Amino acid sequence: MKSEIIAVGSEMLTPFRQDTNSLYITEKLNSIGVAVSFKTIVGDRRKNIVNAVRTALSRVDILILMGGLGPTEDDLTREAVAEALSLTLRRDAPQVAALHTRAAMWRITMPQNNLKQADVLEGATLLPNVNGSAPGQWLDTTFSGYRKLIALLPGPPHECRPLFDAECLPRLSEAVPPRVIAVRTLKAAMIPESQADKLLAPIYTPFTDVETTLLAHTGDLQVTLICSKPDANAARQRVDELAGRMEETLEDWLYSSQGDTLEQIVLYYLELRQATLAVAESCTGGLVSERITSVPGASRTFLGGAVVYSDELKTSMAGVPADLIKQYGAVSAEVAKALAQGIRARTGATLGVGVTGIAGPAGATESKPVGLVHIALCDAQGCDALERTFRGDRQRIREWAAQQALDLIRRRLM
Amino acid sequence: MKSEIIAVGSEMLTPFRQDTNSLYITEKLNSIGVAVSFKTIVGDRRKNIVNAVRTALSRVDILILMGGLGPTEDDLTREAVAEALSLTLRRDAPQVAALHTRAAMWRITMPQNNLKQADVLEGATLLPNVNGSAPGQWLDTTFSGYRKLIALLPGPPHECRPLFDAECLPRLSEAVPPRVIAVRTLKAAMIPESQADKLLAPIYTPFTDVETTLLAHTGDLQVTLICSKPDANAARQRVDELAGRMEETLEDWLYSSQGDTLEQIVLYYLELRQATLAVAESCTGGLVSERITSVPGASRTFLGGAVVYSDELKTSMAGVPADLIKQYGAVSAEVAKALAQGIRARTGATLGVGVTGIAGPAGATESKPVGLVHIALCDAQGCDALERTFRGDRQRIREWAAQQALDLIRRRLM
């Protein structure tokens, strides 16, 4: 069965905000074997919502609408669906009572407008919303002679998502033919994008029953394998077979076969090796530390580090000799090594990392272009050092450098 | 004139990737007075693209298609638009030659498939793409008797956006009635969301000719005012009048009247006061430093700092007495102040900032809940200290804490 998701809200037609609920709902729909064929974003205009609903019902079987269920004049989803399907709206007495109770609980007088939220489509079931005042609605109906399943959900993510899980997913699972979806996500670091596709395409192309998606972003490659079959074992087997071949090909670029992030893997290896880590960052300005500490429990193996933006701090916080900076420049292999050694010595960490580079747009010299980054990793045995020149704007160069630093740590610990 | 943006690509119907080009293009369309009425996302299926194109042409005047112009079998936008409009495709000889030249330059043999990229819609103009092999196309045509302007653009952002600016925007400007759009963006920090709306709604509601959008995200409020009128001065005047009233009401929550980021404003004030800054972060793990250093030129006033995740590092890197941590706990006003004073003393910065808190999910005690954050700011005159308890998951608590720390710096420098 094919589905469409319609996000209703004028703010999502501005340059400033995007619908994100649909990513969540897509994942859940896929998990029961329902593909999303279209997504539509429409503003708070009744005529346009009616148009979007009719268009959707003419091309899919399952329609998920999000947004436009609130109490304001701009909340028009109920009215528009009623018009598109030529249904009436009735005001639901228990829901009116619930709205009054809610207002009393919050000690506010309820504006008359709020009662709109008790309007129910003819034949629809109200879906209780424990996180907000607007209930959802579920409609199992026909359009041009075909069965259509329609859900109306509130827009705020913390209302929309739990409501979809609790009320829509079970109803949809019952309605769609039983299929089992097997999913695997492989992750690899710093593999060139063109090389990834060249290596992997010959492997996944013959697996016509497995949907393979490659996504690459600043040195991080995510390969998602999805297989849908009536039989659970058959689906799982196909995905695992393809994953196994890819794992072999990706060799040590592969860092996770289960969708973990690179920072999770780094922390996992640190615990496994009973090692600790400290980082001295210049051009990445805290990005490496920030990624590592975004993982709960990072404090078990990550001690911390220094953001040494000025030359003086490279000396005072990470013990880089001022002469060394003078001789080789702040962006040099020598200074990267001294940063790594210095932060390791100062913190007593097993591993010390140093990152220095030119993130731009200013700061380039004749011999050192924007994007040049030196990264070093030192432990009791010695130092690894890397020189890379990354392309892109300031943000991308910083992201590339942080990714490369994390990958260097991973490879040392592997 | 009304427009629709269609993003073509199956990857944008997965849970993993979103169209982002449309935000950029929406901003540019708005700047010449064109509103976006619908956005549609459709996969690489010819039938579905044809359906999306026909639907769009039945409801808008301007259609921007992005993606599906590459050389692979999945690239079907040209073919689908031809089918939707009953047009033929012709293979363009100069474009074939250009593809051969390009392949020779890259020293690759051109697959036969690549020639698809030279297929041009009957009546269309080819739009040169300096950043990729697939040119765009521009079609000024009729559908059901109405004039329609249609652009076909490549999907990759670094191809799509420059091509839109160079080739589509001038053509659209000529076609749409001259209107001038005035835009202003106000930014405010740490104002409670409910309070912002309560304060601002009575001010902007009477300005029915100005479109006002409020967006709030972890302590950052963005208010965008857009007014479109045939006369430039009239539009500018209305926006400035509304902005002026809002500025008064937002008082010192307001940090920018021109859309700057909070970190840009902090750096601006640091330069103005000829002050320097250093930061010692625990729970934010580098996030404050990372935000500040994301701004080009940050090195002029931001010296750096320490990410002091372990108690030992709080002592060794930021000079917090071990006894103080023992007595009050690492998450305390006393330790926040000692971090700020310590990092200031170690770096010689004018201003020192200390952040310590419990980002969770673990780490809470009976008296100290997840979300508790202490922030201190010290200079030669003394220390400001704040205690806050933020709600949300680890990521949100860290974001709130970083935002609060930056706002504290701003308020001190104002």
Side-chain angles (χ1 to χ4, degrees), chain A residues 29-304:
Chain A
L29 287 171
N30 290 350
S31 76
I32 56 166
V34 174
V36 176
S37 300
F38 297 89
K39 295 205 277 188
T40 299
I41 295 133
V42 59
D44 300 311
R45 299 204 173 202
R46 179 160 167 168
K47 194 185 73 161
N48 289 356
I49 308 172
V50 171
N51 181 306
V53 169
R54 286 200 179 130
T55 300
L57 293 176
S58 72
R59 60 193 183 187
V60 298
D61 317 296
I62 296 167
L63 171 58
I64 313 291
L65 284 137
M66 313 177 301
L69 295 187
T72 77
E73 276 171 41
D74 280 350
D75 290 304
L76 296 164
T77 302
R78 281 173 295 258
E79 291 82 345
V81 174
E83 183 180 335
L85 284 156
S86 307
L87 296 175
T88 56
L89 285 168
R90 65 173 177 84
R91 190 146 288 182
D92 184 70
Q95 191 56 30
V96 169
L99 287 168
H100 279 292
T101 309
R102 199 180 157 87
M105 201 175 75
W106 291 97
R107 294 172 199 285
I108 51 173
T109 29
M110 190 170 62
Q112 200 56 25
N113 239 345
N114 263 22
L115 292 177
K116 280 179 56 158
Q117 295 175 102
D119 288 347
V120 187
L121 291 158
E122 189 185 337
T125 308
L126 274 178
L127 309 176
N129 175 4
V130 291
N131 300 307
S133 60
Q137 301 195 27
W138 175 263
L139 195 56
D140 188 340
T141 186
T142 55
F143 183 83
S144 303
Y146 292 96
R147 184 184 182 197
K148 304 287 170 181
L149 302 174
I150 305 171
L152 283 67
L153 300 173
H158 70 283
E159 299 182 28
C160 171
R161 298 173 191 192
L163 213 160
F164 181 80
D165 289 350
E167 301 291 341
C168 301
L169 211 48
R171 287 180 167 88
L172 287 168
S173 302
E174 250 177 53
V176 303
R179 285 189 80 80
V180 179
I181 300 244
V183 181
R184 277 285 291 280
T185 301
L186 308 182
K187 304 279 289 282
M190 301 308 289
I191 180 172
E193 224 175 299
S194 55
Q195 192 155 0
D197 200 47
K198 214 194 236 167
L199 285 172
L200 297 178
I203 302 175
Y204 68 75
T205 309
F207 281 73
T208 48
D209 54 344
V210 180
E211 199 184 311
T212 302
T213 315
L214 269 64
L215 296 176
H217 182 66
T218 49
D220 209 58
L221 175 73
Q222 176 175 317
V223 183
T224 307
L225 313 178
I226 301 178
C227 181
S228 161
K229 290 198 186 293
D231 175 61
N233 280 335
R236 165 63 45 204
Q237 211 179 325
R238 286 295 281 169
V239 161
D240 286 346
E241 191 187 339
L242 177 52
R245 294 198 198 172
M246 285 186 160
E247 282 168 11
E248 242 171 71
T249 304
L250 286 170
E251 296 180 345
D252 56 4
W253 277 307
L254 185 87
Y255 67 79
S256 171
S257 301
Q258 304 293 342
D260 311 278
T261 63
L262 183 56
E263 45 272 30
Q264 283 175 324
I265 293 298
V266 163
L267 287 164
Y268 168 80
Y269 276 123
L270 284 169
E271 288 216 66
L272 198 72
R273 306 272 179 250
Q274 301 191 289
T276 54
L277 175 69
V279 179
E281 306 182 58
S282 180
C283 65
T284 43
L287 194 51
V288 177
S289 297
E290 197 276 318
R291 279 184 63 178
I292 291 172
T293 59
S294 70
V295 182
S299 58
R300 286 198 296 275
T301 52
F302 181 69
L303 303 182

Side-chain angles (χ1 to χ4, degrees), chain A residues 2 12-20 23 26-27 30 36-43 45 48 51-52 55 59 213 215-216 222 224 284-287 289-290 293-296 298-299 302-310 313 316-317 343 346-347 361 394-395 398, chain B residues 2 12-20 23 26-27 30 36-43 45 48 51-52 55 59 213 215-216 222 224 284-287 289-290 293-296 298-299 302-310 313 316-317 343 346-347 361 394-395 398:
Chain A
K2 302 291 177 198
M12 286 175 292
L13 292 174
T14 69
F16 313 115
R17 185 159 282 187
Q18 268 193 302
D19 142 62
T20 54
L23 298 178
T26 297
E27 191 178 349
N30 290 350
V36 176
S37 300
F38 297 89
K39 295 205 277 188
T40 299
I41 295 133
V42 59
R45 299 204 173 202
N48 289 356
N51 181 306
T55 300
R59 60 193 183 187
T213 315
L215 296 176
Q222 176 175 317
T224 307
T284 43
L287 194 51
S289 297
E290 197 276 318
T293 59
S294 70
V295 182
S299 58
F302 181 69
L303 303 182
V307 178
V308 289
Y309 226 54
S310 73
L313 256 71
S316 66
M317 303 284 288
I343 199 71
R346 295 258 166 136
T347 60
R394 183 177 177 89
Q395 187 55 27
R398 285 155 52 95
Chain B
K2 302 291 177 199
M12 286 176 291
L13 291 174
T14 69
F16 314 115
R17 184 159 283 186
Q18 268 191 302
D19 142 62
T20 54
L23 299 178
T26 297
E27 191 178 346
N30 290 350
V36 176
S37 300
F38 297 89
K39 294 204 278 189
T40 299
I41 295 133
V42 60
R45 298 203 173 204
N48 289 355
N51 181 307
T55 300
R59 61 193 183 189
T213 315
L215 295 176
Q222 175 176 317
T224 307
T284 43
L287 194 51
S289 297
E290 196 277 316
T293 59
S294 70
V295 182
S299 57
F302 181 68
L303 303 182
V307 178
V308 288
Y309 227 55
S310 73
L313 257 70
S316 66
M317 301 285 289
I343 199 70
R346 295 259 166 138
T347 60
R394 184 179 177 85
Q395 187 55 26
R398 285 156 52 96

Side-chain angles (χ1 to χ4, degrees), chain A residues 375-377 384 386 404-412:
Chain A
I375 302 172
L377 170 66
D384 289 341
L386 279 179
Q404 177 64 77
L406 289 170
D407 194 45
L408 186 66
I409 306 170
R410 171 185 75 92
R411 285 173 174 269
R412 171 66 71 98

